[in-house]
Amino acid sequence: MPRSLILTQVAGKVPEKIPWLMDPSTDHSQATAKIDNVLFGSRGGINFHGDISLGAERIGTLSLVGQLAALKGFLPVAPREVQPHLERFIKAQDDAKDSAPNFTVALECLDGEGELTKLVVLKVPEESSRFNTRARPDQVTKLLAEQGDLCSSRAARVIAVAESEEDVIASGLAVARAAPLYREKGKGEGRGAVSATLWSMAAGGVAPRLSEKLGRVAENIRTAAALVDMPPNYINPVTYTGLCEKIADELRRSGHDVRLEVIRAEELRDGGFGGIWNVGKGSVGSPPALVRLSWYPEGTQEGEPGTVLVGKGITFDTGGLSIKSSDNMRGMKTDIGGAAGLLGAFMSAVQCGGNKGKPLHLVECLAENAVGPFSYRVDDVIKMYSGLTVEINNTDAEGRLLLADGVAYAAKHLNPE
């Protein structure tokens, strides 16, 4: 550590420019390249449609997933190659209520070239509670993920069936969560193309216009999931900010009026963002940032009332000086989940024309809660963007500090409804 920096610390002063934050030796290029490869590289998308026929397409695995009542409703219209196996599965379920929830069999020569296709029938539980929806999309994701076939490089086909159209939409989006973009373990990175048929007893196959929107939302779900799945040596405030800049550029190239503002490092301190600044100033080479993405649909303009999403973006949470145990620190890369989920929601709203024609803003509050020479401390009293002061009792309660600054910024500048 430079002698001048040691003397500054002893004197109890924080230098105007903290070299720790903007260390020129910190190179984020490899992490950025990895993120770009995962999110923007060639990958198999999810093609949603309402066509239940199989044709002669080359399929590694055909997964038929739904609750038992929906599977029974689908039986009369199921592809002829599938019908006898589905009928046998349903009979087994009726004969023994506690029978296995899935069934696997090989379909011969489905692709017309002699390769076998694996048919998997997956029964979704019908029990639900106030914590999950009637369609149980959580179980759709779980059952498909356990098979692992959506992570291979071979093309896969999913037929999701439900009683109502709204239920099958939820099931379809659950398919996206079972096809991750980021994957280091095993073979492949989830880049095989997935063809997903959505069929409901109420409406039959899903309409093409809805399929197109579902496809966009599904890809944004996969993007958000990848941001949570990727490790903290890839995802940090610097690389996440760069990603937001790329997304804003991409949306603008698609004809959407999306505007970007970034406040980072000492700009946060000087601008009065005491919450974000103090939480993030202990991180080496990854200064905190506030990123604002604003979308103005045609006919709207800056200053009009709109909707504001505020995301907590802790890229990794050690707990700060109130440090977590090793067991409790494991998996804390997922603290970026709030910001990542809202980024996916923002992209979906812009691409699908959501928010009822009103401005939509996304405020991402980004920091790494790290241990360092400038980490904020228990007993510190900090001034927030709202003007209120906060006494720190636990540096592991950092999320509320970020969100408080983000909400205060939104209330002051973005005219939320």
Side-chain angles (χ1 to χ4, degrees):
M1 183 184 297
R3 184 171 179 272
S4 60
L5 189 55
I6 296 174
L7 293 176
T8 301
Q9 285 184 278
V10 171
K13 300 177 182 178
V14 177
E16 290 188 11
K17 285 284 185 181
I18 299 181
W20 225 259
L21 285 178
M22 303 303 290
D23 184 352
S25 66
T26 303
D27 183 4
H28 298 284
S29 60
Q30 289 187 352
T32 298
K34 181 65 177 181
I35 295 168
D36 288 348
N37 180 54
V38 171
L39 299 183
F40 303 110
S42 60
R43 72 192 198 194
I46 300 179
N47 175 33
F48 289 101
H49 55 86
D51 183 11
I52 62 174
S53 64
L54 299 182
E57 58 185 316
R58 178 169 294 192
I59 302 171
T61 300
L62 169 61
S63 300
L64 175 58
V65 58
Q67 293 172 332
L68 187 58
L71 291 171
K72 289 180 178 179
F74 181 68
L75 178 60
V77 298
R80 59 177 178 79
E81 301 93 339
V82 173
Q83 272 188 340
H85 305 294
L86 178 57
E87 187 173 14
R88 183 151 51 100
F89 174 79
I90 291 172
K91 186 177 186 305
Q93 296 296 316
D94 288 339
D95 291 345
K97 297 298 182 183
D98 59 346
S99 59
N102 58 61
F103 167 86
T104 303
V105 67
L107 301 180
E108 295 187 12
C109 304
L110 186 60
D111 65 0
E113 297 186 15
E115 291 193 21
L116 297 180
T117 292
K118 182 173 72 172
L119 168 66
V120 182
V121 182
L122 302 168
K123 185 185 75 170
V124 177
E126 296 182 359
E127 300 80 11
S128 62
S129 71
R130 63 191 179 95
F131 298 109
N132 44 53
T133 67
R134 179 180 59 188
R136 296 304 303 272
D138 59 311
Q139 288 296 310
V140 173
T141 297
K142 180 175 181 290
L143 290 168
L144 288 171
E146 286 175 349
Q147 298 300 314
D149 299 299
L150 302 191
C151 297
S152 73
S153 58
R154 292 191 67 188
R157 176 76 180 271
V158 177
I159 301 178
V161 299
E163 294 189 56
S164 70
E165 187 172 47
E166 63 181 17
D167 285 346
V168 83
I169 289 172
S171 298
L173 294 179
V175 173
R177 192 64 186 91
L181 292 176
Y182 174 73
R183 183 178 171 85
E184 294 282 3
K185 291 182 178 179
K187 298 179 180 179
E189 289 188 322
R191 297 186 182 273
V194 178
S195 174
T197 297
L198 304 183
W199 184 92
S200 68
M201 294 171 63
V206 70
R209 185 177 179 183
L210 180 57
S211 297
E212 183 181 351
K213 289 187 176 182
L214 286 174
R216 290 173 178 167
V217 175
E219 289 308 307
N220 294 330
I221 288 173
R222 298 174 83 195
T223 294
L227 291 173
V228 176
D229 292 340
M230 280 189 277
N233 54 318
Y234 297 162
I235 302 295
N236 59 57
V238 174
T239 58
Y240 193 102
T241 298
L243 172 64
C244 289
E245 292 169 344
K246 288 186 178 77
I247 288 172
D249 288 341
E250 193 173 85
L251 291 173
R252 281 194 290 265
R253 284 195 297 269
S254 299
H256 304 290
D257 184 4
V258 173
R259 305 173 195 179
L260 174 78
E261 179 186 19
V262 179
I263 306 171
R264 72 183 94 207
E266 287 87 354
E267 295 172 351
L268 290 166
R269 178 193 62 193
D270 299 341
F273 294 89
I276 303 173
W277 162 253
N278 277 280
V279 171
K281 66 187 175 72
S283 178
V284 176
S286 299
L290 181 144
V291 178
R292 174 179 63 86
L293 289 164
S294 293
W295 170 50
Y296 297 96
E298 187 175 354
T300 64
Q301 58 187 358
E302 193 170 343
E304 290 186 17
T307 303
V308 184
L309 309 174
V310 182
K312 171 190 171 184
I314 295 293
T315 59
F316 190 75
D317 185 12
T318 66
L321 295 181
S322 302
I323 196 164
K324 297 177 184 287
S325 68
S326 178
D327 286 344
N328 289 333
M329 199 184 298
R330 187 178 299 113
M332 290 313 297
K333 64 178 183 177
T334 60
D335 237 11
I336 193 68
L342 289 184
L343 180 60
F346 178 84
M347 291 190 290
S348 297
V350 173
Q351 293 166 345
C352 298
N355 206 39
K356 300 180 180 179
K358 297 179 181 179
L360 178 65
H361 310 278
L362 171 64
V363 178
E364 300 278 61
C365 307
L366 307 172
E368 179 183 2
N369 190 17
V371 176
F374 295 108
S375 296
Y376 76 126
R377 297 151 294 209
V378 173
D379 290 343
D380 279 356
V381 175
I382 63 178
K383 188 174 183 180
M384 308 292 288
Y385 192 72
S386 64
L388 297 175
T389 53
V390 175
E391 181 180 11
I392 304 302
N393 295 320
N394 181 353
T395 63
D396 197 18
E398 80 294 332
R400 65 202 69 184
L401 299 177
L402 267 68
L403 290 175
D405 271 357
V407 169
Y409 170 86
K412 183 175 181 179
H413 300 288
L414 301 178
N415 195 14
E417 288 187 312

